[in-house]
């Protein structure tokens, strides 16, 4: 049962006719504002972002052929054996009278 203050009620729920002490109710007052500490709510949404980074490189493969010219100066030797001959003819002999000439 609801308490109808300032009236007292019996334990049996009825009104016993006794008017208890009276109370004066002052009008409500407004006091200075009280501030509670800020309750900070936070919502976090993460996202991975891929940033392509181009880092160019260049590889130059050099295949080099080196031609080395060996200049040779072969020297040959020749041996020449010269033989000369001359033919001399004696002047004809005069006719002889002798057989031993």
């Amino acid at each position: 049962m609801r308490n109808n203050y300032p009236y007292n009620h019996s334990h049996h729920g009825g009104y016993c006719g006794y008017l208890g002490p009276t109370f004066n109710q002052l009008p409500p007052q407004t006091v200075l504002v009280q501030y509670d500490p800020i309750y900070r709510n936070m919502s976090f949404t993460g996202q991975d972002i891929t940033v392509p980074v181009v880092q160019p490189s260049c590889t130059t493969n050099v295949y080099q052929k080196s031609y080395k010219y060996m200049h040779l100066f072969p020297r040959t030797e020749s041996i020449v054996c010269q033989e000369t001959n001359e033919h001399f003819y004696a002047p004809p002999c005069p006719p002889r009278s002798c057989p031993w000439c």
Side-chain angles (χ1 to χ4, degrees), residues 14-32:
Y15 176 68
C16 65
Y18 171 74
L19 187 60
T22 60
F23 295 96
N24 291 327
Q25 181 73 27
L26 295 175
Q29 289 181 337
T30 303
V31 295
L32 295 176

Side-chain angles (χ1 to χ4, degrees), residues 10-63:
S10 71
H11 294 286
H12 302 289
Y15 176 68
C16 65
Y18 171 74
L19 187 60
T22 60
F23 295 96
N24 291 327
Q25 181 73 27
L26 295 175
Q29 289 181 337
T30 303
V31 295
L32 295 176
V33 177
Q34 293 182 353
Y35 290 98
D36 288 337
I38 296 174
Y39 182 77
R40 296 185 184 267
N41 294 317
M42 183 170 82
S43 173
F44 177 80
T45 303
Q47 181 181 16
D48 290 334
I49 298 173
T50 301
V51 178
V53 177
V54 177
Q55 295 174 328
S57 68
C58 177
T59 301
T60 302
N61 295 308
V62 176
Y63 297 101

